[in-house]
Amino acid sequence: MCGIFGSVADKVEYNTIKQGLKNLAYRGYDSAGIAVATNGGVVIERTEGHPKFLPDLGLTGTVAIGHNRWATHSPPTKENSHPYTSNDNKISLVHNGIIENYAEVRRFLEEKGFTFYSQTDTEVLPNLIQFYLSQGDNLQAAMRHTAKHVEGAFGVIFIHADHPNQMNLMKLGSPMYVGRADEAVYVCSDAYSFPEEVKTFSSIDDSKILIIRKDSVDVQDLNGTKLTLIFEEKNISADTYCLGKHEHYMQKEIHEQFDYVVSALAGRIRDAEIKLGGLEDCVESFAESKQVIFTGCGSAHNAALVGALAMEEVGRLMCRQMPAGELKYTDLLVDDKTWLITVSQSGETADVIGCIKNMRNKGAKVLGVVNTPNSTIYQMTDCGIHIRAGKEVSVASTKAVTNQMLAMLLLAYKIGLENGCSYRDYKAFLSEVQKLPYFINKVIAQEQKIRDICEHYKDSKTAFVIGRNVLEFIAKETALKVKEISYIHAEGYSGSELKHGPLALIDDKIMNICLLDKNFYPEKTMSNIEEIRARGGKVILITNYTKQEVDNKIYDRLISTETGENKFVTAMVFNVVGQLLSYHFALHNGRDVDLPRNLAKSVTVE
Ligand code: G6P
């Protein structure tokens, strides 16, 4: 986590750095800080909370760096915010990642007479660089020695007061991009948050040291060997950060799903064939795999649950799934006939990266369901499907989850056709999945009604979300969304499991969000709803039954929405209802919808 943004030019505006940090706020918003090298020395500003709370200053300099913090090693106070300075006050440094041996490095430096003003891991970095400079190293050698001395993952940029026309960068494990404009060079934690004027950018590989000036970028590895950066065109839409008519990015991203589902399907269904360009070279080996393991974190893991079920039921491959943070430390039976499917919007989630390394060591091949080309995970996979969801800004993932599920369904049916799925079912799926954008818009058209329901139930302390089969995973995803942005406690359960424990909690104070698909054992879910009603539980029913088709005694509020017959496509439609419910619960409770407390969008620490 944490966001880094910096620039070097004849004139770097402090406010440009502040804007860069605002764009990167999804990576952490516990505190923020900026350092600018000016003629009069280095000026540093810090704030607790979101970078928007940094003062507006008309300050310019020759190099400036900034940081958004997601707190790990010390409380999210102004004092603990980056940049950190060295004992001689010459180095101002910002850091994304974790220095695992910081306690040992700190002792080493204390023995040399260095003092520390914080408990953070980051503070050892500027001082270690100062130490190596004092031993006679030039700046690059000091950076190399520092990078080798510390253990962990880091993306670092810093200013040295004796070199006010350059920015210095060290990279090992945390994402960093360099972008070039006509008059300036920028560094940023993602490729989407560069200013418009950036025309080309390069993703920095691990174990690299960079000296960046306004008209040159010198790169070397940790042995001092000089290297060249390859820059590519920046073809990224300018309106990513434009809210338009929407109140929040989350709302914008929910509404955009029509367009992004259309985009994800474009060219992928031709002559009744599913074409996934990124898989051409590996689809045969994939179809012959002995087992497929699906993984991801948070909402991406919930999407992976849907993918695994579809791949087993439709693709007829043996599947299992586990959250990446668990899979990484679980000794599963894995061999070279195993495929790992990693689902990640950002492509930078540390637990997923760890899983890939672990599974690869055991011989598995890796297929990435990715949204961010050039991301670390994208680069680590053997092949992949680009979900084409565009940039997501809101911390809670919505349109990416929809497109992740969609990509995995396309894959499941593609493999299914080879492995025995009936052509009739296959064709029915193809025709239905192309109506998904239409079904999604039918949900969005009911936003006002959903808003009103949320207003009525906004004071609920607990919500149970239940569904069966694939809808269990939509229940989990809806519950995750409700808790992460509205802070209402929510549990996602299989309807069948209700009677094995959770029913003990049901009374007239509990809100129950029940997912009922009229095409998949509806009577079973109906029984679960009856069990809830018998104990006085309130029921918000999400279903594809029409109002006329369903007994009004089984619900308090009804959200009836159109779907086809395919249970997976229906699940994706119901998931959009869950997104809108969680959004409006959060709004009614006055939450910061796009930036929920304690969370961040891109989790680059374990
Ligand atoms: C964080 C975000 C979630 C996201 C998860 C996985 O926890 O808050 O919204 O689902 O990370 O992120 P990824 O980028 O790997 O999909």
Side-chain angles (χ1 to χ4, degrees):
M1 349 275 240
C2 301
I4 286 182
F5 190 86
S7 178
V8 53
D10 282 338
K11 270 191 179 172
V12 179
E13 310 270 346
Y14 162 95
N15 281 338
T16 306
I17 307 299
K18 181 174 167 183
Q19 184 55 46
L21 293 183
K22 280 160 76 180
N23 291 347
L24 287 172
Y26 71 89
R27 301 181 68 87
Y29 34 88
D30 284 334
S31 66
I34 293 178
V36 187
T38 68
N39 288 338
V42 177
V43 178
I44 296 185
E45 289 291 340
R46 297 187 178 92
T47 182
E48 217 172 273
H50 194 283
K52 68 185 174 197
F53 299 122
L54 284 164
D56 282 324
L57 300 176
L59 189 67
T60 56
T62 45
V63 54
I65 58 175
H67 185 270
N68 293 328
R69 178 164 186 249
W70 183 75
T72 55
H73 276 70
S74 58
T77 58
K78 185 170 173 180
E79 292 66 42
N80 287 332
S81 62
H82 298 218
Y84 278 81
T85 49
S86 52
N87 276 202
D88 64 4
N89 271 321
K90 288 193 169 183
I91 297 171
S92 308
L93 175 146
V94 298
H95 166 221
N96 175 15
I98 285 185
I99 304 301
E100 283 161 3
N101 63 340
Y102 82 99
E104 181 192 317
V105 178
R106 186 176 165 132
R107 273 196 304 279
F108 168 85
L109 288 166
E110 277 169 346
E111 277 163 21
K112 313 278 178 210
F114 282 81
T115 55
F116 290 85
Y117 58 85
S118 80
Q119 290 305 315
T120 64
D121 56 332
T122 300
E123 200 186 347
V124 300
L125 289 168
N127 289 310
L128 199 55
I129 297 168
Q130 180 192 325
F131 167 74
Y132 281 113
L133 287 170
S134 73
Q135 302 299 296
D137 277 0
N138 65 21
L139 203 53
Q140 277 156 309
M143 288 159 75
R144 286 199 307 271
H145 284 130
T146 298
K148 286 181 176 172
H149 194 140
V150 294
E151 287 162 19
F154 50 84
V156 164
I157 52 176
F158 68 91
I159 298 174
H160 194 290
D162 293 347
H163 306 271
N165 296 309
Q166 71 186 47
M167 181 169 24
N168 314 290
L169 182 154
M170 303 192 291
K171 152 87 161 80
L172 188 87
S174 298
M176 303 280 269
Y177 295 81
V178 173
R180 280 198 307 212
D182 290 341
E183 307 284 336
V185 183
Y186 294 88
V187 168
C188 187
S189 295
D190 75 32
Y192 289 89
S193 304
F194 284 123
E196 269 302 283
E197 57 166 339
V198 168
K199 304 282 183 318
T200 58
F201 73 96
S202 180
S203 160
I204 309 302
D205 290 340
D206 278 349
S207 307
K208 300 292 174 293
I209 300 292
L210 274 69
I211 300 286
I212 301 165
R213 300 189 185 87
K214 76 174 195 318
D215 40 23
S216 68
V217 181
D218 295 329
V219 191
Q220 52 178 254
D221 63 19
L222 296 189
N223 298 319
T225 308
K226 286 194 176 6
L227 304 161
T228 312
L229 275 193
I230 312 277
F231 282 82
E232 59 185 277
E233 294 296 315
K234 181 171 133 302
N235 295 318
I236 290 169
S237 153
D239 67 8
T240 296
Y241 292 102
C242 170
L243 274 173
K245 61 183 175 37
H246 302 288
E247 273 184 76
H248 299 96
Y249 290 109
M250 183 176 178
Q251 189 191 37
K252 176 178 182 240
E253 288 159 8
I254 292 172
H255 283 228
E256 281 173 349
Q257 288 179 108
F258 178 96
D259 292 332
Y260 282 104
V261 169
V262 169
S263 152
L265 288 169
R268 285 180 165 163
I269 300 176
R270 271 179 279 151
D271 306 326
E273 228 190 287
I274 296 174
K275 309 257 186 202
L276 296 169
L279 300 188
E280 263 162 27
D281 297 338
C282 65
V283 76
E284 235 170 84
S285 143
F286 184 84
E288 284 166 7
S289 54
K290 287 260 174 56
Q291 68 166 339
V292 188
I293 304 174
F294 286 72
T295 198
C297 298
S299 295
H301 176 249
N302 289 333
L305 296 175
V306 173
L309 181 70
M311 186 57 78
E312 183 117 20
E313 287 196 345
V314 180
R316 306 315 288 164
L317 292 176
M318 219 152 58
C319 296
R320 43 180 151 175
Q321 20 74 15
M322 214 182 258
E326 293 301 327
L327 180 58
K328 195 166 140 192
Y329 298 108
T330 306
D331 193 11
L332 294 188
L333 293 174
V334 170
D335 60 15
D336 60 1
K337 289 268 188 231
T338 301
W339 274 83
L340 175 71
I341 297 200
T342 57
V343 187
S344 174
Q345 187 285 128
S346 62
E348 302 294 349
T349 302
D351 283 333
V352 180
I353 293 171
C355 257
I356 297 178
K357 290 181 183 156
N358 178 346
M359 291 288 143
R360 258 204 200 298
N361 286 341
K362 295 179 168 188
K365 295 185 206 59
V366 186
L367 187 159
V369 176
V370 293
N371 194 35
T372 315
N374 298 315
S375 58
T376 307
I377 292 171
Y378 168 88
Q379 291 175 25
M380 291 172 86
T381 53
D382 294 289
C383 57
I385 312 175
H386 182 207
I387 64 166
R388 303 180 187 160
K391 171 80 178 162
E392 253 188 0
V393 178
S394 181
V395 164
S397 187
T398 52
K399 61 178 179 169
V401 173
T402 296
N403 281 21
Q404 286 162 347
M405 292 180 193
L406 175 59
M408 286 183 280
L409 280 191
L410 292 174
L411 177 62
Y413 276 90
K414 185 176 176 64
I415 300 297
L417 195 61
E418 306 294 316
N419 286 353
C421 160
S422 85
Y423 194 62
R424 195 171 148 271
D425 289 352
Y426 173 84
K427 287 274 287 205
F429 165 74
L430 291 190
S431 117
E432 218 171 274
V433 79
Q434 292 181 83
K435 291 191 204 135
L436 181 59
Y438 161 81
F439 294 142
I440 288 176
N441 269 6
K442 286 277 183 188
V443 173
I444 290 170
Q446 299 197 63
E447 183 164 6
Q448 183 58 41
K449 178 182 184 176
I450 294 172
R451 207 195 81 89
D452 294 345
I453 293 174
C454 292
E455 186 170 17
H456 190 78
Y457 290 103
K458 70 178 191 315
D459 296 325
S460 305
K461 296 278 176 286
T462 290
F464 270 105
V465 192
I466 62 153
R468 281 172 170 255
N469 192 260
V470 65
L471 291 181
E472 177 191 347
F473 308 139
I474 302 305
K476 287 189 187 307
E477 171 57 10
T478 300
L480 175 62
K481 282 278 164 296
V482 169
K483 76 182 105 180
E484 77 178 321
I485 60 165
S486 71
Y487 315 153
I488 296 173
H489 170 246
E491 299 277 355
Y493 253 94
S494 152
S496 68
E497 279 291 291
L498 203 63
K499 56 188 172 296
H500 299 294
L503 209 51
L505 294 180
I506 306 287
D507 63 16
D508 59 0
K509 290 181 197 55
I510 305 282
M511 161 172 68
N512 299 275
I513 301 170
C514 302
L515 309 175
L516 172 65
D517 179 358
K518 67 177 179 185
N519 300 303
F520 188 83
Y521 299 105
E523 66 288 355
K524 301 288 174 202
T525 306
M526 290 278 202
S527 309
N528 300 137
I529 297 172
E530 297 289 2
E531 288 154 15
I532 293 170
R533 296 299 279 172
R535 279 130 190 114
K538 301 280 175 283
V539 170
I540 300 172
L541 182 64
I542 301 172
T543 185
N544 44 6
Y545 277 121
T546 61
K547 192 173 173 17
Q548 292 68 35
E549 284 173 324
V550 65
D551 178 356
N552 64 10
K553 287 196 209 59
I554 70 160
Y555 62 81
D556 294 281
R557 299 297 168 113
L558 174 71
I559 303 166
S560 161
T561 197
E562 189 179 340
T563 71
E565 290 181 6
N566 181 292
K567 69 179 181 185
F568 294 108
V569 179
T570 296
M572 292 170 70
V573 179
F574 286 6
N575 189 48
V576 178
V577 181
Q579 293 170 354
L580 282 174
L581 279 171
S582 55
Y583 173 70
H584 286 288
F585 277 131
L587 270 193
H588 285 307
N589 280 291
R591 309 302 186 205
D592 191 346
V593 177
D594 287 328
L595 301 173
R597 69 184 177 204
N598 303 341
L599 301 179
K601 187 154 191 68
S602 182
V603 185
T604 55
V605 294
E606 270 193 50

